Amino acid sequence: MSDEMSKPFDKSALTHEELLKINRERKIQITAFACMIFLTLLAFIAVAMEMIAPGFTVPFILLLAVVQFALQLFYFMHLKDKDHEWPNAFMLTGIVVSTPAVIALILLLGVTKY
Amino acid sequence: MATATATNTNKSVLWDWLTTVDHKKLAVLYLIAGALFFLKAGLMAIFMRIQLMSAENTFLSGQTFNEFVTMHGTIMLFLAVTPLIFAFMNFVIPLQIGARDVAFPFVNALGFWIFFFGGLLVSVSWFFGGAPDAGWTAYVPLSSGEYGDLGLDFYVLGLQISGLGTLVSAINFIVTIINMRAPGMTMMRLPLFCWTGLVTSILIVFAFTPLAAGLALLMLDRIFGAQYFNPGSGGNPVLWQHIFWIFGHPEVYILVLPAFGIISEVIPAFSKKRLFGYTAMVFATLIIAFLSFMVWVHHMFTVGIGPITNSVFAIATMAIGVPTGIKIFNWLFTMWGGKIIFNTAMLCASSFVPTFVLGGVTGVMLAMVPVDYLYHDTYFVVAHFHYIVVGGIALGLLAGTFYWYPKMFGHKLNEKLGQLMFWMFYVGFHLTFFIQHILGLIGMPRRVFTYLDGQGMETMNLVSSIGAFMMGAAIIVLLINVVYSAYTSKRVTVRDPWDARTLEWATTTPVPEYNFAQTPQVRSLDPWFYEKVHGDGTMKPAEPMDEIHMPNGSILPLTIGLGLFVWGFGMIMMQMENPLIPEWIVIGAGVIITFGSMLLHSIHEDHGYHIPLDKIKKIEKEVS
């Protein structure tokens, strides 16, 4: 049995529904990718344009980053999919644990130098 | 171990052990490696206690003492307790969840060998100009290129490598516990040791990554002339303390949570009662894990961060006392009204409870910022964390050793010698460390290699040293016990010598290579106990008897570890005065061995092998 595992096979074992689902998934991936490129372009433009004040640029880029982070997680890393409760839980734990640490470090090391 | 019938008999014993991917054999390897590192670090502690036995002693020089302090801490935390915990996790968790092996047997072996060679790299520093001497915390600027010698390079790269191995194993355990549970083994039926193993693994994933980052920064500073921690060039030395303790505080819980798990297995087994408040125990574990990431600044109260930050972290620290208290009371209530059998495992487990409370109480004392300014860097702190690590973790590991020994090696450890060891260890432990609280309060600073005459510290230090010798003698009794029992103890042939509750005792002794001929159907918490009381005393099978797919052994984990060792050593050679061979050759050789082995593993197709049905039936008849 184990010897046959390395043999190539010509006919896919997927059903028609599964193939359709994969096609749909592919479309979603490409859309998400295009969306993210657009967000990145916006960020670049915001930095490059001199007429946009830095007071606006910084929070704007941060907002874009948050949106893109969510898109990455949910679309590229499949957190939106079914049966992804465990990866979801781990990602959420990581965010919950690291956010206060990062904020504390920014405040302590960046502002008071301790 | 009589599993030889189940393995390929045409392999030599040594080759079999070097290439094994079997979780039970890797557990034994972890146990041996961890025990050796433990003995080494324990011996250093004895030497330090000899030095501190009398005032102005000249047994060790200050430099040697610093190296011993550093290596004692580093080895105990990274190379002794961590592998000992992994030994039990490796052996017990797949059995307790009813799995045939961990999720990735190859990765399991890889984790062991990377850890082992990383530990070896730290250890060889003795032969190349002295061990690291900046404390296990390696604070900059003590550990910077300016002040730290070559030993620190070994510390940085050795821990980097062994940390990689630990991370790899932890990820493996997370996947195993989540995906490999037997039918019916829901998360809320998971034995508590599996729960704490899971939470520990999660903590490792979240805590060892900052450590890896910090060590990488320190390596860049030391070897490649960066200045992350050099204030003269705009760096910040406090950054290291933050990174180290963001790792370092969860690390303490990484070590103690599996000990909690062991205690939570041993106490119900020998009280003949189910664990009191199982759900509360699980959630207390999760809360402790979460809080452990929110308290790192309490190690840095005296840095001068400011009163508001200090207060926030002080309160967060005290909050950890609440879930820990829940656990303590649950253990007490488990024992309350039980038919308690005080054998060695239970003695260790039950005495863990009051000892750990003492360590916890001093922990809350240390969490109060104003008095922490007095306690900071005194022996009070030393006493506090030794109550946690020796009175907590070491007693937990001893309990686990006596409890699981019959399953692991097929015979029990001698009870008389065991109880002698326990009492010597317990009395010695309190003698050593209780008096150190008082030493700290009268002002003896930690990490000093000597003290002056006439300051009232001689007697207490002498008492402390005598206690340390008793603990050393207890460990010698344990070693004698291991050898003595191997020759004289009766072979255990029954499945369940302790009349215990969880699934690992449903396997035959010795455990066959595939653990369960048929995956068991779990019907309750404490499934083995349930079948003994409500069923017919055997686990219901969840599948028909069929041939079993097993992974092949591989030497590649060892060569990948070896490659990383050579690579790391080459990096350290860049700092040496006159290396015998150019360092680039060594680095190149290491890179080629590491990535060559990985490439070999990628292109070599290995689908494992099948144990045929008649062979399984033969083995099952043989062992039962």
Side-chain angles (χ1 to χ4, degrees), chain A residues 1-8, chain B residues 549 605-610:
Chain A
M1 191 174 126
S2 53
D3 306 320
E4 288 161 21
M5 283 165 86
S6 36
K7 277 187 196 161
Chain B
H549 185 197
E605 280 202 61
D606 180 5
H607 297 304
Y609 65 98
H610 285 84

Side-chain angles (χ1 to χ4, degrees), chain A residues 21-93:
Chain A
K21 209 175 143 200
I22 286 178
N23 275 335
R24 199 159 51 232
E25 184 67 32
R26 190 177 294 140
K27 263 179 225 152
I28 292 173
Q29 291 278 330
I30 292 169
T31 320
F33 184 67
C35 194
M36 273 186 239
I37 296 281
F38 176 68
L39 290 178
T40 315
L41 270 179
L42 279 186
F44 269 90
I45 291 169
V47 176
M49 295 277 273
E50 277 177 18
M51 53 188 282
I52 298 171
F56 172 76
T57 309
V58 173
F60 180 62
I61 296 180
L62 282 176
L63 181 74
L64 288 182
V66 171
V67 173
Q68 209 166 76
F69 182 60
L71 279 179
Q72 289 267 2
L73 284 182
F74 281 98
Y75 287 92
F76 280 2
M77 300 182 77
H78 296 280
L79 289 198
K80 66 174 173 35
D81 294 6
K82 252 197 284 175
D83 295 328
H84 275 60
E85 290 84 8
W86 278 105
N88 266 332
F90 273 82
M91 278 295 169
L92 200 66
T93 315

Side-chain angles (χ1 to χ4, degrees), chain B residues 364-615:
Chain B
V364 177
M365 287 168 76
L366 284 163
M368 295 184 276
V369 185
V371 278
D372 184 71
Y373 270 83
L374 302 176
Y375 300 142
H376 190 83
D377 263 348
T378 68
Y379 259 79
F380 191 84
V381 179
V382 176
H384 155 68
F385 69 73
H386 278 95
Y387 261 80
I388 302 289
V389 289
V390 184
I393 301 163
L395 279 177
L397 288 173
L398 286 173
T401 310
F402 276 81
Y403 180 58
W404 283 309
Y405 207 83
K407 214 18 114 193
M408 289 177 97
F409 297 102
H411 63 85
K412 287 185 183 178
L413 285 170
N414 186 288
E415 266 305 308
K416 280 206 182 96
L417 284 173
Q419 298 201 0
L420 177 70
M421 177 220 67
F422 167 76
W423 287 111
M424 281 167 74
F425 190 84
Y426 198 61
V427 173
F429 159 72
H430 282 288
L431 218 52
T432 313
F433 293 113
F434 189 79
I435 207 149
Q436 288 185 3
H437 290 117
I438 304 160
L439 267 175
L441 291 179
I442 66 168
M444 180 159 169
R446 63 192 280 208
R447 289 176 175 167
V448 289
F449 82 103
T450 191
Y451 50 93
L452 291 175
D453 212 357
Q455 293 183 323
M457 294 174 185
E458 298 90 342
T459 327
M460 282 193 263
N461 268 304
L462 181 65
V463 171
S464 183
S465 293
I466 291 169
F469 299 150
M470 275 182 76
M471 278 162 75
I475 295 302
I476 292 171
V477 173
L478 178 66
L479 292 178
I480 293 170
N481 195 349
V482 168
V483 179
Y484 180 76
S485 308
Y487 285 105
T488 58
S489 256
K490 215 167 75 214
R491 293 277 115 189
V492 171
T493 49
V494 292
R495 287 162 186 260
D496 180 15
W498 301 120
D499 193 16
R501 315 173 69 83
T502 39
L503 207 47
E504 76 266 32
W505 303 104
T507 56
T508 51
T509 315
V511 189
E513 189 190 14
Y514 48 78
N515 297 352
F516 298 93
Q518 290 163 290
T519 307
Q521 173 73 44
V522 176
R523 300 201 286 172
S524 158
L525 181 72
D526 291 344
W528 178 236
F529 175 79
Y530 182 86
E531 296 298 338
K532 279 193 290 191
V533 175
H534 300 285
D536 58 356
T538 53
M539 293 305 296
K540 299 274 170 295
E543 58 174 13
M545 193 96 119
D546 199 2
E547 54 174 26
I548 294 170
H549 185 197
M550 296 298 292
N552 277 324
S554 169
I555 192 71
L556 291 175
L558 190 146
T559 54
I560 292 175
L562 180 71
L564 285 173
F565 176 85
V566 176
W567 186 356
F569 196 82
M571 300 279 278
I572 296 163
M573 282 169 75
M574 292 169 72
Q575 296 286 88
M576 285 184 187
E577 295 281 308
N578 42 3
L580 290 173
I581 32 174
E583 63 268 19
W584 293 110
I585 296 177
V586 182
I587 294 176
V591 172
I592 288 168
I593 298 173
T594 311
F595 287 105
S597 308
M598 288 183 188
L599 186 71
L600 218 58
H601 182 62
S602 305
I603 56 175
H604 171 64
E605 280 202 61
D606 180 5
H607 297 304
Y609 65 98
H610 285 84
I611 306 177
L613 200 54
D614 50 334
K615 198 173 171 190

Side-chain angles (χ1 to χ4, degrees), chain A residues 1-7 86-87 89-105 107-110 112-114, chain B residues 174 178-179 181 187 195 198 202 206 236 238-239 242-243 246 290 293-294 296-297 300 303-305 309 313 547 549 605 607-610:
Chain A
M1 191 174 126
S2 53
D3 306 320
E4 288 161 21
M5 283 165 86
S6 36
K7 277 187 196 161
W86 278 105
F90 273 82
M91 278 295 169
L92 200 66
T93 315
I95 294 165
V96 167
V97 165
S98 56
T99 312
V102 169
I103 292 172
L105 284 185
L107 292 177
L108 293 175
L109 288 163
T112 62
K113 298 293 171 200
Y114 280 113
Chain B
I174 295 175
I178 288 175
N179 285 338
R181 282 169 287 134
M187 285 312 276
W195 258 114
L198 174 67
I202 296 170
F206 288 133
N236 189 342
V238 186
L239 173 62
H242 278 293
I243 295 177
I246 285 176
F290 172 73
F293 279 97
M294 303 293 151
W296 80 90
V297 174
M300 303 164 61
V303 166
I305 293 176
T309 315
F313 281 93
E547 54 174 26
H549 185 197
E605 280 202 61
H607 297 304
Y609 65 98
H610 285 84

